[in-house]
Amino acid sequence: MKLNKQNIGVEENISIKEKIGFSLGDTASNLVWQTLMIFQLYFYTDIFGLPAAVVGTMFLITKIWDSINDPVMGLIADRTNTKWGKFRPFLLWLALPFALVGVLTFTTPDFSLTGKIIYAYVTYTLMMMVYTAINIPYSSLMGVVSASPSQRASFSQYRFMFAFTGGLLVQALTLPLVNSIGGDNTSVFSAELNTNQIVITEHGVGASKLVLNADIGEEDLLTKNVTVIVYKNDLKNEIDDTTDILYLEEGFGTHTLNPSTYFDETISSKEISVQVVNEAKGFQGVMIVFGIMSIIMFLTTFYTTKERVSPPKEQKTNIKNDFKDLFSNKPWLVLLVIGVISLAYVAIRYGSVMYYFKYYIEDESLVSSFLVSGTIVTIIAISFTEKLCNRFGKKKVVIACQLIAGTFTALFFFVDKSNITMIFALNIIVSLASGPPAPILFAMYTDTASYSEWKNNRRATGLIMSASTMAQKFGLTIGAALAGWILAFYGFKANTVQTTESAFGILLMVSLIPAAGSFLVAGIMSFYPLDNKTMDKIEGELKSRRALTEKQ
């Protein structure tokens, strides 16, 4: 692949169309990734039916293996040569498998607890492997769309605006779609009011949510959710009767509930309506919708993007030297540590949002508006990233943002749970401060690839980006595992009123624990050595080298 004018020092104009087309790839990734981050733990504990400690251990084991895959995929991508380039073809080849495995990961089979654990291990591992195989080349693509640090920063800004748009779609659409797709699905049971009683009629085995709505006047609605599990006879020993879940053994036929069990006796049965929501079918349907969208977006990225930067012509393929260069790259090592810590605390905070509103605030209907309002602010903040970096430098912006985010995240611990306005206000400030660091860190990763080429006369963009992603996934591994273990440590039990201790654990997960992570990242970032002046010098010298090589 020949070096073009960008490589020999001529600044090209790259169209907004290409930047948007490139960025849609991260929208596609985040349709699945954000669903995993926000809803996977909740799905496994409250719908799929796995104990929190089992899920935490599974996250640790599967993601350690997944993290190992990242540099392997980077090496494969660096050594791929096709008529489409090194990184673009993976978007074409893997878009469909990415969508299919996403659906399987959010499918609830009719297995025993042991069978479900095995199924979860297999499908979650496959999901992470396919995600790695498509996302490592996609991330690496940003390092070769231009040799200019400012152009790469611009690509990164567009990328993360669209990435968070993908997150916004997940936050706004997931729960409403789950309720819509799974609503009135009677594959497990149906329910109706009959002579002042709620009558549940058996149709199959599995779990569904019984939604009871009481019209209490003045357009107010009181809602009670009851998880109902119809289980096979041979699974009786696996029933946990210490929760508020209603367990019904296969073959029960019909079961009657008294509305007064859930509502005050002053509420007449005439004011009550019932609905059945099969959340398992709902989540599966959501992933089908997101999967189709992701295929279209990945293909759009493939057809609209160009690779403009190649390794030096004299560079020889050598895995040993690639890793030697990587681990002698001091700026990248700083970002490695930051990637682990930042993704760990993000996983803990976002993974606990469903629990925070369902069990601590006791109003899970607020989840979507909480997440959506924060993400809208984050997207707005990201749009100012390039201007902030040009004025203050990437390093200073990241440090300031982390300090602000950490301070206001910690304040969640002290806010009364009835003060919803303050909870939303704090989240908006945290989201505002959380916007710029994401695109800046990925732009910094591409800067470390240029630093490596400048220092060692070798460029392994795929390895650097994959090793960076490995660090972030390892951070998510630690965060996801800790989230499950913290829930288990404080005595969390799904679908029941939480104890004071378990509610306290959930509160820590959205406040002081992630706040500590933000402060730690701010401190470590102070050791990052590549400021704007240094990068201008590096890119200037690289352009001179490329021009000389081209003449030869």
Side-chain angles (χ1 to χ4, degrees):
M1 187 161 44
K2 291 184 178 180
L3 299 170
N4 69 357
K5 292 181 180 180
Q6 175 67 28
N7 297 88
I8 60 174
V10 178
E11 186 78 21
E12 87 276 48
N13 292 317
I14 300 177
S15 68
I16 293 178
K17 176 183 176 182
E18 181 175 347
K19 292 177 181 179
I20 291 175
F22 167 80
S23 302
L24 283 172
D26 222 2
T27 306
S29 292
N30 274 277
L31 287 176
V32 172
W33 187 254
Q34 288 290 327
T35 307
L36 292 171
M37 183 179 294
I38 298 171
F39 298 106
Q40 188 75 69
L41 180 59
Y42 169 78
F43 173 80
Y44 278 142
T45 59
D46 286 42
I47 299 169
F48 197 86
L50 298 181
V54 170
V55 179
T57 302
M58 184 192 74
F59 281 158
L60 179 65
I61 294 173
T62 57
K63 286 186 177 178
I64 287 177
W65 163 246
D66 175 55
S67 298
I68 295 172
N69 289 330
D70 285 7
V72 174
M73 190 63 220
L75 291 170
I76 292 172
D78 276 332
R79 286 154 178 77
T80 299
N81 292 290
T82 73
K83 63 180 180 181
W84 300 305
K86 287 181 173 293
F87 308 120
R88 289 173 59 230
F90 291 95
L91 307 180
L92 177 66
W93 298 335
L94 295 171
L96 179 59
F98 179 81
L100 290 175
V101 177
V103 173
L104 292 175
T105 305
F106 279 87
T107 295
T108 304
D110 182 19
F111 294 162
S112 66
L113 179 59
T114 301
K116 283 186 174 182
I117 292 173
I118 294 171
Y119 179 88
Y121 267 84
V122 171
T123 54
Y124 191 74
T125 300
L126 283 175
M127 182 71 258
M128 291 296 97
M129 290 180 70
V130 175
Y131 180 86
T132 294
I134 197 169
N135 202 257
I136 294 301
Y138 172 75
S139 296
S140 302
L141 184 59
M142 197 179 80
V144 297
V145 289
S146 174
S148 164
S150 61
Q151 283 286 7
R152 293 197 300 264
S154 179
F155 266 92
S156 188
Q157 175 175 301
Y158 273 90
R159 172 187 176 180
F160 277 90
M161 288 178 65
F162 279 78
F164 279 96
T165 299
L168 181 65
L169 290 173
V170 170
Q171 296 156 11
L173 297 179
T174 299
L175 293 181
L177 281 175
V178 167
N179 290 328
S180 176
I181 296 171
D184 299 321
N185 184 304
T186 57
S187 59
V188 178
F189 65 86
S190 58
E192 62 180 351
L193 280 170
N194 191 354
T195 61
N196 298 327
Q197 297 291 306
I198 302 168
V199 180
I200 297 175
T201 303
E202 177 183 8
H203 296 294
V205 295
S208 285
K209 182 169 65 176
L210 179 64
V211 182
L212 307 176
N213 294 311
D215 185 357
I216 58 177
E218 298 181 358
E219 299 183 354
D220 286 333
L221 203 64
L222 185 61
T223 300
K224 298 291 184 181
N225 296 319
V226 182
T227 299
V228 181
I229 296 179
V230 182
Y231 63 93
K232 291 183 177 181
N233 309 75
D234 58 351
L235 300 180
K236 193 169 185 177
N237 293 332
E238 297 179 1
I239 300 306
D240 183 3
D241 57 9
T242 63
T243 70
D244 291 338
I245 298 173
L246 175 59
Y247 289 99
L248 299 173
E249 189 173 349
E250 183 182 18
F252 71 89
T254 60
H255 182 83
T256 303
L257 296 175
N258 192 326
S260 63
T261 305
Y262 305 100
F263 297 109
D264 190 279
E265 292 183 357
T266 60
I267 297 177
S268 168
S269 60
K270 294 180 180 179
E271 300 169 326
I272 298 173
S273 62
V274 299
Q275 182 189 15
V276 176
V277 178
N278 189 324
E279 290 185 296
K281 295 295 183 184
F283 269 101
Q284 184 185 54
V286 166
M287 294 311 294
I288 291 173
V289 173
F290 288 169
I292 293 171
M293 293 171 65
S294 69
I295 290 173
I296 295 171
M297 292 177 185
F298 273 131
L299 294 181
T300 301
T301 301
F302 170 78
Y303 284 111
T304 57
T305 345
K306 296 179 181 178
E307 297 186 19
R308 296 179 175 86
V309 180
S310 301
K313 287 184 176 181
E314 67 275 14
Q315 178 173 317
K316 303 296 182 182
T317 299
N318 188 306
I319 295 177
K320 181 179 178 180
N321 286 341
D322 285 350
F323 277 102
K324 180 181 178 182
D325 293 346
L326 179 69
F327 288 103
S328 64
N329 189 328
K330 293 181 180 179
W332 179 82
L333 290 174
V334 173
L335 297 183
L336 170 76
V337 177
I338 289 174
V340 172
I341 297 172
S342 60
L343 269 293
Y345 79 71
V346 165
I348 291 173
R349 184 171 188 266
Y350 275 92
S352 61
V353 167
M354 280 294 297
Y355 299 95
Y356 178 68
F357 281 99
K358 182 176 180 177
Y359 299 112
Y360 186 79
I361 302 298
E362 298 179 342
D363 188 355
E364 62 184 290
S365 66
L366 295 172
V367 171
S368 290
S369 54
F370 177 84
L371 293 172
V372 168
S373 59
T375 301
I376 290 173
V377 172
T378 298
I379 294 171
I380 295 172
I382 289 173
S383 67
F384 292 97
T385 300
E386 189 174 359
K387 291 181 180 179
L388 289 171
C389 290
N390 289 338
R391 180 169 182 178
F392 300 107
K394 298 170 188 172
K395 176 179 173 179
K396 290 181 179 179
V397 174
V398 171
I399 291 174
C401 286
Q402 291 291 347
L403 291 175
I404 294 170
T407 300
F408 285 91
T409 298
L411 292 179
F412 271 86
F413 184 80
F414 304 99
V415 177
D416 188 274
K417 67 179 183 179
S418 64
N419 195 344
I420 302 300
T421 301
M422 181 59 70
I423 289 170
F424 272 67
L426 288 176
N427 185 56
I428 286 173
I429 297 172
V430 172
S431 300
L432 186 70
S434 300
I440 291 174
L441 285 175
F442 270 83
M444 284 177 165
Y445 287 139
T446 63
D447 289 346
T448 64
S450 293
Y451 171 83
S452 180
E453 182 183 355
W454 172 74
K455 181 182 177 183
N456 304 308
N457 203 32
R458 294 175 52 81
R459 188 180 189 97
T461 305
L463 178 61
I464 283 180
M465 297 306 291
S466 64
S468 304
T469 304
M470 178 194 72
Q472 294 185 330
K473 284 186 179 179
F474 189 65
L476 287 173
T477 298
I478 295 172
L482 283 173
W485 292 338
I486 291 170
L487 288 173
F489 177 79
Y490 282 98
F492 168 80
K493 288 187 177 181
N495 298 302
T496 188
V497 176
Q498 300 302 307
T499 64
T500 302
E501 290 76 15
S502 59
F504 179 75
I506 291 171
L507 178 60
L508 285 177
M509 290 167 64
V510 296
S511 57
L512 299 184
I513 293 174
S518 288
F519 293 138
L520 191 55
V521 167
I524 296 171
M525 180 55 75
S526 64
F527 295 98
Y528 182 75
L530 300 181
D531 56 19
N532 288 4
K533 183 177 179 181
T534 303
M535 283 309 303
D536 287 341
K537 174 186 175 183
I538 288 173
E539 290 297 346
E541 292 185 14
L542 287 177
K543 286 180 179 180
S544 298
R545 290 185 200 173
R546 291 165 184 158
L548 182 61
T549 302
E550 190 70 13
K551 289 179 181 179
Q552 294 174 348

